[in-house]
mmCIF file of all heavy atoms in Angstrom:
data_model
loop_
_atom_site.group_PDB
_atom_site.id
_atom_site.type_symbol
_atom_site.label_atom_id
_atom_site.label_comp_id
_atom_site.label_asym_id
_atom_site.label_seq_id
_atom_site.Cartn_x
_atom_site.Cartn_y
_atom_site.Cartn_z
ATOM 1 N N ARG Z 338 -4.555 21.053 10.060
ATOM 2 C CA ARG Z 338 -3.335 20.790 9.370
ATOM 3 C C ARG Z 338 -3.440 21.027 7.909
ATOM 4 O O ARG Z 338 -4.548 20.864 7.399
ATOM 5 C CB ARG Z 338 -2.961 19.281 9.649
ATOM 6 C CG ARG Z 338 -2.630 18.986 11.062
ATOM 7 C CD ARG Z 338 -2.376 17.487 11.228
ATOM 8 N NE ARG Z 338 -2.212 17.121 12.652
ATOM 9 C CZ ARG Z 338 -1.083 16.977 13.221
ATOM 10 N NH1 ARG Z 338 0.017 17.005 12.569
ATOM 11 N NH2 ARG Z 338 -1.015 16.609 14.545
ATOM 12 N N PRO Z 339 -2.325 21.288 7.207
ATOM 13 C CA PRO Z 339 -2.399 21.531 5.803
ATOM 14 C C PRO Z 339 -2.357 20.226 5.047
ATOM 15 O O PRO Z 339 -1.936 19.187 5.570
ATOM 16 C CB PRO Z 339 -1.156 22.409 5.553
ATOM 17 C CG PRO Z 339 -0.202 21.968 6.523
ATOM 18 C CD PRO Z 339 -1.026 21.663 7.882
ATOM 19 N N ASN Z 340 -2.776 20.264 3.715
ATOM 20 C CA ASN Z 340 -2.696 19.148 2.854
ATOM 21 C C ASN Z 340 -3.363 17.906 3.317
ATOM 22 O O ASN Z 340 -2.850 16.732 3.195
ATOM 23 C CB ASN Z 340 -1.166 18.862 2.525
ATOM 24 C CG ASN Z 340 -0.452 20.061 2.085
ATOM 25 O OD1 ASN Z 340 -1.036 20.953 1.311
ATOM 26 N ND2 ASN Z 340 0.752 20.275 2.555
ATOM 27 N N VAL Z 341 -4.578 18.033 3.901
ATOM 28 C CA VAL Z 341 -5.304 16.881 4.371
ATOM 29 C C VAL Z 341 -6.364 16.529 3.380
ATOM 30 O O VAL Z 341 -7.046 17.365 2.842
ATOM 31 C CB VAL Z 341 -5.935 17.176 5.791
ATOM 32 C CG1 VAL Z 341 -6.846 16.009 6.194
ATOM 33 C CG2 VAL Z 341 -4.769 17.414 6.806
ATOM 34 N N PHE Z 342 -6.501 15.205 3.091
ATOM 35 C CA PHE Z 342 -7.564 14.740 2.278
ATOM 36 C C PHE Z 342 -8.369 13.660 2.965
ATOM 37 O O PHE Z 342 -7.731 12.982 3.931
ATOM 38 C CB PHE Z 342 -7.094 14.272 0.818
ATOM 39 C CG PHE Z 342 -6.215 13.063 0.865
ATOM 40 C CD1 PHE Z 342 -6.735 11.852 0.677
ATOM 41 C CD2 PHE Z 342 -4.824 13.160 1.131
ATOM 42 C CE1 PHE Z 342 -5.897 10.666 0.646
ATOM 43 C CE2 PHE Z 342 -4.057 12.052 1.069
ATOM 44 C CZ PHE Z 342 -4.635 10.833 0.814
ATOM 45 N N ARG Z 343 -9.580 13.392 2.536
ATOM 46 C CA ARG Z 343 -10.403 12.418 3.183
ATOM 47 C C ARG Z 343 -10.680 11.261 2.201
ATOM 48 O O ARG Z 343 -10.666 11.399 1.031
ATOM 49 C CB ARG Z 343 -11.687 13.092 3.654
ATOM 50 C CG ARG Z 343 -12.398 13.789 2.537
ATOM 51 C CD ARG Z 343 -13.683 14.474 2.937
ATOM 52 N NE ARG Z 343 -14.771 13.584 2.698
ATOM 53 C CZ ARG Z 343 -15.969 13.587 3.241
ATOM 54 N NH1 ARG Z 343 -16.200 14.392 4.255
ATOM 55 N NH2 ARG Z 343 -16.849 12.748 2.944
ATOM 56 N N LEU Z 344 -10.853 10.140 2.786
ATOM 57 C CA LEU Z 344 -11.144 8.926 2.039
ATOM 58 C C LEU Z 344 -12.401 8.258 2.652
ATOM 59 O O LEU Z 344 -12.354 7.932 3.864
ATOM 60 C CB LEU Z 344 -9.962 7.904 2.083
ATOM 61 C CG LEU Z 344 -10.262 6.592 1.449
ATOM 62 C CD1 LEU Z 344 -10.421 6.723 -0.085
ATOM 63 C CD2 LEU Z 344 -9.203 5.558 1.786
ATOM 64 N N GLN Z 345 -13.438 8.218 1.927
ATOM 65 C CA GLN Z 345 -14.687 7.535 2.366
ATOM 66 C C GLN Z 345 -14.802 6.316 1.694
ATOM 67 O O GLN Z 345 -14.735 6.178 0.479
ATOM 68 C CB GLN Z 345 -15.900 8.390 2.093
ATOM 69 C CG GLN Z 345 -17.160 7.793 2.629
ATOM 70 C CD GLN Z 345 -18.297 8.823 2.825
ATOM 71 O OE1 GLN Z 345 -18.145 9.979 2.484
ATOM 72 N NE2 GLN Z 345 -19.440 8.358 3.279
ATOM 73 N N THR Z 346 -14.982 5.180 2.426
ATOM 74 C CA THR Z 346 -14.908 3.851 1.845
ATOM 75 C C THR Z 346 -16.422 3.434 1.602
ATOM 76 O O THR Z 346 -17.345 4.130 2.008
ATOM 77 C CB THR Z 346 -14.382 2.818 2.921
ATOM 78 O OG1 THR Z 346 -15.178 2.812 4.101
ATOM 79 C CG2 THR Z 346 -12.921 3.257 3.339
ATOM 80 N N ALA Z 347 -16.511 2.285 1.013
ATOM 81 C CA ALA Z 347 -17.791 1.688 0.657
ATOM 82 C C ALA Z 347 -18.652 1.370 1.866
ATOM 83 O O ALA Z 347 -19.857 1.461 1.877
ATOM 84 C CB ALA Z 347 -17.635 0.432 -0.142
ATOM 85 N N GLU Z 348 -18.003 1.174 3.004
ATOM 86 C CA GLU Z 348 -18.748 0.913 4.276
ATOM 87 C C GLU Z 348 -19.035 2.198 4.992
ATOM 88 O O GLU Z 348 -19.451 2.173 6.144
ATOM 89 C CB GLU Z 348 -17.801 0.023 5.196
ATOM 90 C CG GLU Z 348 -17.429 -1.305 4.659
ATOM 91 C CD GLU Z 348 -16.300 -1.273 3.776
ATOM 92 O OE1 GLU Z 348 -15.418 -0.313 3.805
ATOM 93 O OE2 GLU Z 348 -16.162 -2.114 2.845
ATOM 94 N N ARG Z 349 -18.841 3.338 4.358
ATOM 95 C CA ARG Z 349 -19.159 4.679 4.829
ATOM 96 C C ARG Z 349 -18.255 5.100 5.933
ATOM 97 O O ARG Z 349 -18.576 5.933 6.780
ATOM 98 C CB ARG Z 349 -20.671 4.789 5.156
ATOM 99 C CG ARG Z 349 -21.501 4.477 3.993
ATOM 100 C CD ARG Z 349 -22.944 4.569 4.243
ATOM 101 N NE ARG Z 349 -23.210 5.998 4.274
ATOM 102 C CZ ARG Z 349 -24.269 6.537 4.749
ATOM 103 N NH1 ARG Z 349 -25.254 5.799 5.211
ATOM 104 N NH2 ARG Z 349 -24.497 7.879 4.701
ATOM 105 N N ARG Z 350 -17.044 4.455 6.116
ATOM 106 C CA ARG Z 350 -16.058 4.877 7.068
ATOM 107 C C ARG Z 350 -15.305 6.047 6.508
ATOM 108 O O ARG Z 350 -15.071 6.087 5.309
ATOM 109 C CB ARG Z 350 -15.123 3.755 7.468
ATOM 110 C CG ARG Z 350 -15.883 2.629 8.145
ATOM 111 C CD ARG Z 350 -14.961 1.643 8.760
ATOM 112 N NE ARG Z 350 -14.126 1.033 7.684
ATOM 113 C CZ ARG Z 350 -13.089 0.229 7.879
ATOM 114 N NH1 ARG Z 350 -12.849 -0.172 9.087
ATOM 115 N NH2 ARG Z 350 -12.397 -0.287 6.832
ATOM 116 N N LEU Z 351 -14.829 6.944 7.284
ATOM 117 C CA LEU Z 351 -14.104 8.146 6.854
ATOM 118 C C LEU Z 351 -12.743 8.131 7.389
ATOM 119 O O LEU Z 351 -12.650 8.023 8.719
ATOM 120 C CB LEU Z 351 -14.913 9.435 7.257
ATOM 121 C CG LEU Z 351 -14.371 10.713 6.778
ATOM 122 C CD1 LEU Z 351 -14.420 10.798 5.232
ATOM 123 C CD2 LEU Z 351 -15.187 11.850 7.382
ATOM 124 N N PHE Z 352 -11.703 8.368 6.610
ATOM 125 C CA PHE Z 352 -10.337 8.405 7.067
ATOM 126 C C PHE Z 352 -9.810 9.782 6.608
ATOM 127 O O PHE Z 352 -10.033 10.187 5.447
ATOM 128 C CB PHE Z 352 -9.522 7.309 6.468
ATOM 129 C CG PHE Z 352 -9.980 5.924 6.919
ATOM 130 C CD1 PHE Z 352 -10.825 5.156 6.224
ATOM 131 C CD2 PHE Z 352 -9.456 5.373 8.132
ATOM 132 C CE1 PHE Z 352 -11.244 3.980 6.658
ATOM 133 C CE2 PHE Z 352 -9.760 4.150 8.625
ATOM 134 C CZ PHE Z 352 -10.728 3.386 7.763
ATOM 135 N N LEU Z 353 -8.945 10.341 7.420
ATOM 136 C CA LEU Z 353 -8.179 11.506 6.989
ATOM 137 C C LEU Z 353 -6.753 11.210 6.821
ATOM 138 O O LEU Z 353 -6.171 10.549 7.706
ATOM 139 C CB LEU Z 353 -8.411 12.671 8.117
ATOM 140 C CG LEU Z 353 -9.766 13.154 8.263
ATOM 141 C CD1 LEU Z 353 -9.871 14.253 9.342
ATOM 142 C CD2 LEU Z 353 -10.329 13.820 6.930
ATOM 143 N N PHE Z 354 -6.129 11.754 5.819
ATOM 144 C CA PHE Z 354 -4.682 11.562 5.541
ATOM 145 C C PHE Z 354 -4.077 12.906 5.282
ATOM 146 O O PHE Z 354 -4.656 13.805 4.748
ATOM 147 C CB PHE Z 354 -4.484 10.689 4.320
ATOM 148 C CG PHE Z 354 -5.023 9.318 4.416
ATOM 149 C CD1 PHE Z 354 -6.239 8.931 4.050
ATOM 150 C CD2 PHE Z 354 -4.261 8.273 5.052
ATOM 151 C CE1 PHE Z 354 -6.732 7.662 4.129
ATOM 152 C CE2 PHE Z 354 -4.749 6.964 5.150
ATOM 153 C CZ PHE Z 354 -5.887 6.690 4.690
ATOM 154 N N GLN Z 355 -2.750 12.998 5.707
ATOM 155 C CA GLN Z 355 -2.064 14.246 5.427
ATOM 156 C C GLN Z 355 -0.894 13.906 4.581
ATOM 157 O O GLN Z 355 -0.121 12.984 4.874
ATOM 158 C CB GLN Z 355 -1.570 14.884 6.790
ATOM 159 C CG GLN Z 355 -0.809 16.193 6.598
ATOM 160 C CD GLN Z 355 -0.321 16.782 7.887
ATOM 161 O OE1 GLN Z 355 -0.287 16.132 8.915
ATOM 162 N NE2 GLN Z 355 0.032 18.029 7.790
ATOM 163 N N ALA Z 356 -0.729 14.688 3.578
ATOM 164 C CA ALA Z 356 0.412 14.645 2.663
ATOM 165 C C ALA Z 356 1.457 15.734 2.971
ATOM 166 O O ALA Z 356 1.071 16.741 3.529
ATOM 167 C CB ALA Z 356 -0.069 14.754 1.243
ATOM 168 N N PRO Z 357 2.678 15.546 2.678
ATOM 169 C CA PRO Z 357 3.717 16.525 2.920
ATOM 170 C C PRO Z 357 3.537 17.796 2.076
ATOM 171 O O PRO Z 357 3.667 18.865 2.606
ATOM 172 C CB PRO Z 357 5.066 15.944 2.484
ATOM 173 C CG PRO Z 357 4.732 14.470 2.405
ATOM 174 C CD PRO Z 357 3.276 14.319 2.164
ATOM 175 N N THR Z 358 3.033 17.736 0.865
ATOM 176 C CA THR Z 358 2.866 18.957 -0.005
ATOM 177 C C THR Z 358 1.461 18.821 -0.642
ATOM 178 O O THR Z 358 0.901 17.724 -0.758
ATOM 179 C CB THR Z 358 3.850 18.955 -1.045
ATOM 180 O OG1 THR Z 358 3.798 17.881 -1.907
ATOM 181 C CG2 THR Z 358 5.329 19.007 -0.480
ATOM 182 N N SER Z 359 1.029 19.967 -1.228
ATOM 183 C CA SER Z 359 -0.212 20.037 -1.923
ATOM 184 C C SER Z 359 -0.207 19.140 -3.180
ATOM 185 O O SER Z 359 -1.113 18.522 -3.472
ATOM 186 C CB SER Z 359 -0.458 21.419 -2.244
ATOM 187 O OG SER Z 359 -1.733 21.497 -2.992
ATOM 188 N N GLU Z 360 0.981 19.182 -3.868
ATOM 189 C CA GLU Z 360 1.132 18.384 -5.133
ATOM 190 C C GLU Z 360 0.999 16.893 -4.791
ATOM 191 O O GLU Z 360 0.386 16.089 -5.517
ATOM 192 C CB GLU Z 360 2.392 18.608 -5.762
ATOM 193 C CG GLU Z 360 2.617 20.123 -6.337
ATOM 194 C CD GLU Z 360 2.986 21.073 -5.307
ATOM 195 O OE1 GLU Z 360 3.507 20.732 -4.241
ATOM 196 O OE2 GLU Z 360 2.666 22.248 -5.466
ATOM 197 N N GLU Z 361 1.649 16.467 -3.682
ATOM 198 C CA GLU Z 361 1.618 15.075 -3.325
ATOM 199 C C GLU Z 361 0.207 14.661 -2.902
ATOM 200 O O GLU Z 361 -0.294 13.527 -3.249
ATOM 201 C CB GLU Z 361 2.533 14.744 -2.236
ATOM 202 C CG GLU Z 361 2.866 13.269 -2.086
ATOM 203 C CD GLU Z 361 4.074 13.004 -1.221
ATOM 204 O OE1 GLU Z 361 5.000 13.791 -1.080
ATOM 205 O OE2 GLU Z 361 4.093 11.926 -0.606
ATOM 206 N N MET Z 362 -0.536 15.605 -2.230
ATOM 207 C CA MET Z 362 -1.853 15.381 -1.788
ATOM 208 C C MET Z 362 -2.781 15.070 -3.099
ATOM 209 O O MET Z 362 -3.485 14.079 -3.129
ATOM 210 C CB MET Z 362 -2.477 16.461 -1.002
ATOM 211 C CG MET Z 362 -3.906 16.307 -0.677
ATOM 212 S SD MET Z 362 -4.655 17.732 0.184
ATOM 213 C CE MET Z 362 -4.700 18.899 -1.268
ATOM 214 N N LEU Z 363 -2.659 15.892 -4.105
ATOM 215 C CA LEU Z 363 -3.417 15.756 -5.337
ATOM 216 C C LEU Z 363 -3.045 14.511 -6.075
ATOM 217 O O LEU Z 363 -3.885 13.858 -6.631
ATOM 218 C CB LEU Z 363 -3.194 17.059 -6.179
ATOM 219 C CG LEU Z 363 -3.767 18.312 -5.690
ATOM 220 C CD1 LEU Z 363 -3.419 19.455 -6.569
ATOM 221 C CD2 LEU Z 363 -5.228 18.264 -5.479
ATOM 222 N N SER Z 364 -1.758 14.136 -6.005
ATOM 223 C CA SER Z 364 -1.356 12.847 -6.608
ATOM 224 C C SER Z 364 -1.905 11.694 -5.934
ATOM 225 O O SER Z 364 -2.499 10.717 -6.596
ATOM 226 C CB SER Z 364 0.213 12.794 -6.544
ATOM 227 O OG SER Z 364 0.594 11.596 -7.030
ATOM 228 N N TRP Z 365 -1.933 11.655 -4.636
ATOM 229 C CA TRP Z 365 -2.546 10.585 -3.842
ATOM 230 C C TRP Z 365 -4.138 10.489 -4.127
ATOM 231 O O TRP Z 365 -4.599 9.399 -4.302
ATOM 232 C CB TRP Z 365 -2.397 10.784 -2.367
ATOM 233 C CG TRP Z 365 -1.101 10.211 -1.867
ATOM 234 C CD1 TRP Z 365 0.075 10.935 -1.775
ATOM 235 C CD2 TRP Z 365 -0.913 8.898 -1.380
ATOM 236 N NE1 TRP Z 365 1.047 9.991 -1.228
ATOM 237 C CE2 TRP Z 365 0.457 8.739 -1.053
ATOM 238 C CE3 TRP Z 365 -1.720 7.804 -1.161
ATOM 239 C CZ2 TRP Z 365 1.011 7.594 -0.533
ATOM 240 C CZ3 TRP Z 365 -1.153 6.615 -0.718
ATOM 241 C CH2 TRP Z 365 0.185 6.531 -0.391
ATOM 242 N N ILE Z 366 -4.705 11.618 -4.126
ATOM 243 C CA ILE Z 366 -6.240 11.619 -4.449
ATOM 244 C C ILE Z 366 -6.485 11.081 -5.790
ATOM 245 O O ILE Z 366 -7.423 10.200 -5.977
ATOM 246 C CB ILE Z 366 -6.725 13.105 -4.308
ATOM 247 C CG1 ILE Z 366 -6.746 13.572 -2.820
ATOM 248 C CG2 ILE Z 366 -8.193 13.224 -4.888
ATOM 249 C CD1 ILE Z 366 -7.119 14.989 -2.688
ATOM 250 N N SER Z 367 -5.802 11.443 -6.750
ATOM 251 C CA SER Z 367 -6.028 10.974 -8.185
ATOM 252 C C SER Z 367 -5.775 9.488 -8.342
ATOM 253 O O SER Z 367 -6.390 8.754 -8.912
ATOM 254 C CB SER Z 367 -5.329 11.795 -9.238
ATOM 255 O OG SER Z 367 -3.930 11.600 -9.074
ATOM 256 N N ARG Z 368 -4.628 9.101 -7.658
ATOM 257 C CA ARG Z 368 -4.255 7.639 -7.761
ATOM 258 C C ARG Z 368 -5.212 6.743 -6.956
ATOM 259 O O ARG Z 368 -5.575 5.646 -7.425
ATOM 260 C CB ARG Z 368 -2.866 7.410 -7.262
ATOM 261 C CG ARG Z 368 -1.893 7.978 -8.227
ATOM 262 C CD ARG Z 368 -0.558 7.909 -7.757
ATOM 263 N NE ARG Z 368 0.397 8.750 -8.603
ATOM 264 C CZ ARG Z 368 1.661 8.487 -8.708
ATOM 265 N NH1 ARG Z 368 2.211 7.524 -8.034
ATOM 266 N NH2 ARG Z 368 2.355 9.203 -9.625
ATOM 267 N N ILE Z 369 -5.603 7.182 -5.872
ATOM 268 C CA ILE Z 369 -6.600 6.419 -5.018
ATOM 269 C C ILE Z 369 -7.935 6.222 -5.780
ATOM 270 O O ILE Z 369 -8.469 5.217 -5.908
ATOM 271 C CB ILE Z 369 -6.844 6.962 -3.626
ATOM 272 C CG1 ILE Z 369 -5.610 6.751 -2.823
ATOM 273 C CG2 ILE Z 369 -8.049 6.370 -2.985
ATOM 274 C CD1 ILE Z 369 -5.679 7.511 -1.419
ATOM 275 N N ASN Z 370 -8.408 7.348 -6.338
ATOM 276 C CA ASN Z 370 -9.701 7.335 -7.118
ATOM 277 C C ASN Z 370 -9.515 6.517 -8.399
ATOM 278 O O ASN Z 370 -10.502 5.827 -8.743
ATOM 279 C CB ASN Z 370 -10.111 8.823 -7.418
ATOM 280 C CG ASN Z 370 -10.638 9.537 -6.254
ATOM 281 O OD1 ASN Z 370 -11.159 8.847 -5.282
ATOM 282 N ND2 ASN Z 370 -10.633 10.841 -6.235
ATOM 283 N N LEU Z 371 -8.426 6.507 -8.988
ATOM 284 C CA LEU Z 371 -8.168 5.757 -10.243
ATOM 285 C C LEU Z 371 -8.269 4.216 -9.848
ATOM 286 O O LEU Z 371 -8.983 3.449 -10.467
ATOM 287 C CB LEU Z 371 -6.867 6.019 -10.913
ATOM 288 C CG LEU Z 371 -6.470 5.044 -12.027
ATOM 289 C CD1 LEU Z 371 -7.398 5.226 -13.151
ATOM 290 C CD2 LEU Z 371 -5.001 5.339 -12.516
ATOM 291 N N VAL Z 372 -7.532 3.832 -8.765
ATOM 292 C CA VAL Z 372 -7.523 2.398 -8.383
ATOM 293 C C VAL Z 372 -8.972 1.993 -7.913
ATOM 294 O O VAL Z 372 -9.396 0.929 -8.157
ATOM 295 C CB VAL Z 372 -6.486 2.195 -7.214
ATOM 296 C CG1 VAL Z 372 -6.696 0.883 -6.649
ATOM 297 C CG2 VAL Z 372 -5.178 2.372 -7.789
ATOM 298 N N ALA Z 373 -9.595 2.956 -7.171
ATOM 299 C CA ALA Z 373 -11.057 2.611 -6.661
ATOM 300 C C ALA Z 373 -11.946 2.431 -7.886
ATOM 301 O O ALA Z 373 -12.724 1.507 -7.854
ATOM 302 C CB ALA Z 373 -11.545 3.800 -5.822
ATOM 303 N N ALA Z 374 -11.800 3.217 -8.897
ATOM 304 C CA ALA Z 374 -12.650 3.093 -10.127
ATOM 305 C C ALA Z 374 -12.371 1.732 -10.798
ATOM 306 O O ALA Z 374 -13.243 1.039 -11.301
ATOM 307 C CB ALA Z 374 -12.552 4.240 -11.088
ATOM 308 N N LEU Z 375 -11.110 1.507 -10.893
ATOM 309 C CA LEU Z 375 -10.671 0.237 -11.656
ATOM 310 C C LEU Z 375 -11.081 -1.003 -10.858
ATOM 311 O O LEU Z 375 -11.371 -2.091 -11.466
ATOM 312 C CB LEU Z 375 -9.170 0.247 -11.846
ATOM 313 C CG LEU Z 375 -8.639 1.168 -12.946
ATOM 314 C CD1 LEU Z 375 -7.147 1.188 -13.009
ATOM 315 C CD2 LEU Z 375 -9.282 0.921 -14.308
#
């Protein structure tokens, strides 16, 4: 599928998510990483 990103948690679990567009996928990635860092 297109526009799929992965999220690996601290427990080493892996989740795949699909966004409607490439721009939205990049937005989700940056926001998740920002919140994770904070």
Side-chain angles (χ1 to χ4, degrees):
R338 297 175 185 258
N340 308 319
V341 173
F342 67 96
R343 52 183 265 154
L344 175 69
Q345 184 161 357
T346 66
E348 298 84 24
R349 303 184 75 194
R350 295 187 304 173
L351 184 65
F352 296 92
L353 295 175
F354 296 94
Q355 182 181 15
T358 65
S359 179
E360 294 81 24
E361 196 166 333
M362 175 187 70
L363 294 174
S364 174
W365 272 91
I366 289 172
S367 64
R368 289 175 189 205
I369 289 171
N370 286 335
L371 175 64
V372 170
L375 290 174

